[in-house]
Amino acid sequence: MSKRNIIIAGIVVTVLIIVLIVYNTRSSKNSVANLYAESKTGQFDIVVTTTGELQAKKSADIFGPDFTQSRNIRVMDIKITDMVPEGTEVKPGDYVATLDRTTFDNTLKDELERLTTQETNLEMKILDTAVTLSNLRDNIKNLKFTVEEAQITLQQSKYEPPTTIRQAEISLDKAARSLDQSIRGYALRVEQAKSDMRSMKNNLAEQRQRVSDLQVILSKFIISAPSPGMIIYKRDRTGAKRKVGSSISPWDNVVATLPDMSSMISKTYVNEIDVSKVKTGQKVEIVVDAFPEKVYSGVVTSVANIGEQLPNADAKVFEVVVEVNESDPILRPSMTTGNKIVTKTIPEAIFIPLESVQQGPDSIPFVYMKNGTRQVVVLGESNENNVIIEQGIESGVQIYLNTPSDPEGFKLVGEELIAVIRDREKARKAEEQRLREEAEKAKAERGDMFGGGFPGGGRQGAGGMPNLTPEQIQQFQNMRGSGQGQRAGTGQTPGQVQVQVQGQGQVQVQGQEQVQVQGQGQGQGQGQFQGQPGQGRTRDTAAMRRMMNQRRLEGAGQGQPGQQGAVRDTTARRRNNSQQ
């Protein structure tokens, strides 16, 4: 029995050894096969891959109370104390959320107390005013009686001595004046009482309006759905969703949204390195992480012009909106999507995996061939997985995916392509340099345009020369002379001036403010202006002032070329003007 067990055990061990040998052989063959890749020919797509989030293209916002309608209410942020779960299907009028009423309830109590106080004060003011005016009317009646008594006394004293009569007249006059003053005072008190009443009634009306506004706003602290749909929490400026414990402000009082599921978009962000490749109208392949077996198509509808930095990210990104062409009821907002934006399509190209391309110390790309050679290759455009081979290998060639175990044994071939690669590199650098110079030139031109390229503009170059155009600089470089000027007006066209400097700085004025300057240096500034009576009397000195401000041709002292002259001597000009 034991001998039989030994034989069975031996057979089992032999079978296991055979199985292990076969498995190891197949594994080694597979590993060897996995070391190689084959160059392929076909359509080559340059793709920018991003991760996005589904959103509804159109949605209806669910608003909280509108605090901007009442200028009497001052409010900051309000907390959300209760809210239905996100994704809840609602109908018009269904409950959505509740806001914190504590602060507003206390405010309403205070305002109601103020309203009661103002109403009481108004009633007391009415009673006090009635009593005061009644007393004033009684006083007026008494003064009228006093005037009548004074009149009677005056009538009875007509046979009395003059002194007694005069005293009676004075008493009557005093009584009459007192009556007039009381009547005018009563009228003023009536107007004052009316003004006080209007002010108190206006304050009372404002207080009642304030109480009414608070009551209306408090009635909206329980928020209902305006239309049917699915509740989606609103994101604030920081990107966080508003939920229980979050706050809304008077300027952003949206609590949630009701998206339209019939049309969806995928909002994604593209790195600043790849954003130049993305354009509106490009096709996009969309895969939803929740349903990887389904593939949707889309198109880029907008690309942001200004980058932003997302939280917990170092690189700047640009927002890209992709519209989903298909409509599917299983798609929901906030689902994560994988977007492949096809930025360029090459119909026919030879391409290999990126990891097959190697580079030596001289930065010349090459690949390890299965035939034992190192082939220099000219690379074209690439995507995230493959790169185009423009020269070096043909389609269907076996190449190494990684560096082989003995790279020194591979012979380098295709050295004639090195010159092509270097020429392309030089052309690329030359193009970059050209673009850089054009940008600097455009920047300099903009600076000359806005930074004082005209006389008096503020910026000047070496030697006090303003930033002028090349033609103007050429004209001013030929300037020389002593600064003596002569102005002759023909009088043919009033108000027309032409300035021309020739020889040693002589100035002739005629024509239409055209300035041509030849010569250098600063003049002694002894200007002379001559004109015949009745001719050239209309002087246009604008061109002269501009010329003088540019180079200060007229000066009282000698100056070196490129330096500013001394104070101008205008005595000769004033003397000439007085003579004319």
Side-chain angles (χ1 to χ4, degrees), residues 9-80:
I11 294 172
V12 171
V13 171
T14 304
V15 172
L16 289 175
I17 292 173
I18 294 172
V19 170
L20 289 174
I21 293 172
V22 173
Y23 177 77
N24 290 332
T25 303
R26 291 183 178 180
S27 298
S28 61
K29 289 183 179 180
N30 292 334
S31 61
V32 172
N34 291 334
L35 289 175
Y36 300 101
E38 183 178 346
S39 58
K40 298 180 181 179
T41 303
Q43 178 176 310
F44 189 82
D45 293 331
I46 300 175
V47 178
V48 175
T49 303
T50 61
T51 300
E53 182 179 292
L54 281 180
Q55 295 182 6
K57 185 178 180 181
K58 298 178 181 179
S59 60
D61 292 332
I62 302 176
F63 294 95
D66 188 3
F67 302 99
T68 60
Q69 298 297 326
S70 177
R71 59 184 179 87
N72 297 321
I73 299 177
R74 299 292 180 266
V75 63
M76 297 303 289
D77 294 347
I78 303 176
K79 286 187 176 182
I80 301 173

Side-chain angles (χ1 to χ4, degrees), residues 69 102 145 184 227 251 261 314 330 338 357 368 386 392 458 464 527:
Q69 298 297 326
T102 305
F145 292 146
R184 288 196 300 271
S227 58
W251 304 276
M261 301 297 185
D314 297 333
I330 65 175
V357 180
Y368 289 102
N386 302 312

Side-chain angles (χ1 to χ4, degrees), residues 110-170:
D110 296 339
E111 297 298 335
L112 287 173
E113 291 179 359
R114 292 192 185 95
L115 178 62
T116 303
T117 301
Q118 291 185 8
E119 289 175 346
T120 304
N121 291 338
L122 179 61
E123 293 176 358
M124 293 179 62
K125 183 67 175 179
I126 293 173
L127 293 175
D128 292 342
T129 303
V131 171
T132 301
L133 294 179
S134 178
N135 293 333
L136 291 176
R137 287 192 295 270
D138 291 343
N139 187 34
I140 290 173
K141 289 180 180 179
N142 294 332
L143 291 175
K144 287 181 179 179
F145 292 146
T146 302
V147 170
E148 291 179 1
E149 290 176 354
Q151 289 175 349
I152 293 172
T153 302
L154 179 61
Q155 290 175 359
Q156 291 177 352
S157 63
K158 62 181 178 179
Y159 300 108
E160 298 293 334
T163 304
T164 305
I165 295 174
R166 182 56 183 163
Q167 289 179 350
E169 290 176 350
I170 292 173

